Amino acid sequence: MPPEPSLFQRVHGCLLGQAIGDAFGAAGHLGPLPQPPTQELVAPAPDHPIHGGLAAGQYTDDTIFALAILDSILETGQVQASAVARSFQATIQRLHLEESPLIGPSTRAAIQAWHEGADPEEAGRFGWTNGAVMRVAPVGLRHPGELARTVQAAYESARPTHNTNVAIASACAVACAVSRAAAGGASLDDLIDAACFGAEEGLSLGHAFIAPSVSRRIRFAVSLARAPKPVSERQRDIYDLVGTGLPAYEMAAAALAHVVLADGDPVEAIRLATNTGGDTDTTAAIAGAIAGALRGSQPFPRAWVEQVDRANRVDLALYARRYTALIEGDA
């Protein structure tokens, strides 16, 4: 048995899983099943409608906004909706993303509402898509094992653009799975239980929106991932019966199902999530982040780590060291 990863390794693993999963899945984004399997980091096709022009290893808005949230946490020490919104605006301006196809529909609508002077509580009131879920994993690291505090933090991160109960419940599910993983000593069942706790708690927050139960959908998706069938058939069941598209309630369940399908291995979770099809950069980013928090940074191929850092001009290890120091400062 390998030793338990340190907190730094879990934080670094989560950030690597997020960024590598995002970049890995970018090439297969929007592809339906069946599709040619992807086994390595490759560039999206030049004519891809959203990701055309990205280099191999370059991540998308999933990780751009996840790191924007992390920047706000490192600045303020906590997750605060106002600081998150400011960081989003600064990131959009710095990277000239105002008209970019990378920005999803709910985030784009909220940004427009901000520009028109909307009340911050109202800007995200119709945000039901997966934007808050795709970027929430670093939030789950802030309070390892403290699920009630993690729910509140996930809520704060979602409010600026996705202030609906379904988007918040989905984000809380992912954040709580990461939080439980970051605390150490977790089984896959522990992660699923934590995710369902987060989903149930998050359902009472934000503006009510028509959607199925996030926690029940997670349990259903995990049952499909554990069915006594070949892996390819289980992938098809997740794609057909759970969905891997824009709705937040699909994405939280599908990503957690792929963590289970991969038995917690982050590299395998990223590959499987990408090859299941759909909104693959998001499924792979979330599954990679959760599994990375569980298993740490060691499973990731060194070449992938270096390629993602280089392609995005980022140092994820430095981010992880700074964040770990903040987290440990609470002890």
Side-chain angles (χ1 to χ4, degrees), residues 131-283:
V133 190
M134 74 184 187
R135 64 193 187 219
V136 78
V139 173
L141 298 167
R142 182 63 188 91
H143 304 292
E146 297 184 52
L147 300 188
R149 296 182 75 183
T150 298
V151 165
Q152 186 61 36
Y155 172 42
E156 289 291 309
S157 77
R159 278 172 56 202
T161 59
H162 293 74
N163 195 10
T164 63
N165 60 348
V166 63
I168 294 163
S170 302
C172 288
V174 170
C176 283
V178 169
S179 178
R180 181 63 190 88
S187 66
L188 291 176
D189 284 335
D190 291 334
L191 301 192
I192 300 306
D193 288 344
C196 289
F197 171 86
E200 289 296 326
E201 293 294 306
L203 199 60
S204 65
L205 302 170
H207 296 276
F209 201 88
I210 298 171
S213 166
V214 176
S215 63
R216 293 184 69 183
R217 204 172 186 89
I218 290 169
R219 298 282 186 195
F220 174 59
V222 169
S223 73
L224 297 178
R226 286 175 165 161
K229 296 180 178 182
V231 169
S232 61
E233 292 185 21
R234 287 180 271 169
Q235 287 176 279
R236 167 58 75 176
D237 285 346
I238 293 167
Y239 180 84
D240 283 345
L241 302 177
V242 177
T244 57
L246 281 179
Y249 55 80
E250 288 186 7
M251 189 50 62
L256 283 154
H258 281 91
V259 175
V260 172
L261 193 63
D263 196 28
D265 181 88
V267 173
E268 186 67 7
I270 287 168
R271 285 194 171 116
L272 289 171
T274 296
N275 294 326
T276 295
D279 192 357
T280 52
D281 58 323
T282 298
T283 322

Side-chain angles (χ1 to χ4, degrees), residues 105-115 118 123-125 159-162:
S106 295
T107 299
R108 186 175 299 283
I111 291 167
Q112 183 62 33
W114 298 344
H115 287 167
R125 70 170 301 161
R159 278 172 56 202
T161 59
H162 293 74

Side-chain angles (χ1 to χ4, degrees), residues 3-22:
E4 277 273 305
S6 66
L7 178 60
F8 166 75
Q9 289 171 327
R10 292 190 192 281
V11 172
H12 193 203
C14 182
L15 299 184
L16 288 174
Q18 169 83 35
I20 291 174
D22 185 2

Side-chain angles (χ1 to χ4, degrees), residues 48-96:
H48 191 283
I50 297 177
H51 298 149
L54 294 182
Q58 191 172 357
Y59 48 63
T60 76
D61 59 327
D62 299 51
T63 305
I64 289 170
F65 287 121
L67 293 181
I69 292 174
L70 181 50
D71 286 336
S72 76
I73 297 171
L74 292 172
E75 177 185 353
T76 66
Q78 297 297 334
V79 187
Q80 299 172 349
S82 58
V84 168
R86 287 196 302 272
S87 189
F88 284 174
Q89 290 176 309
T91 297
I92 290 166
Q93 291 170 358
R94 176 170 54 84
L95 299 179
H96 307 291

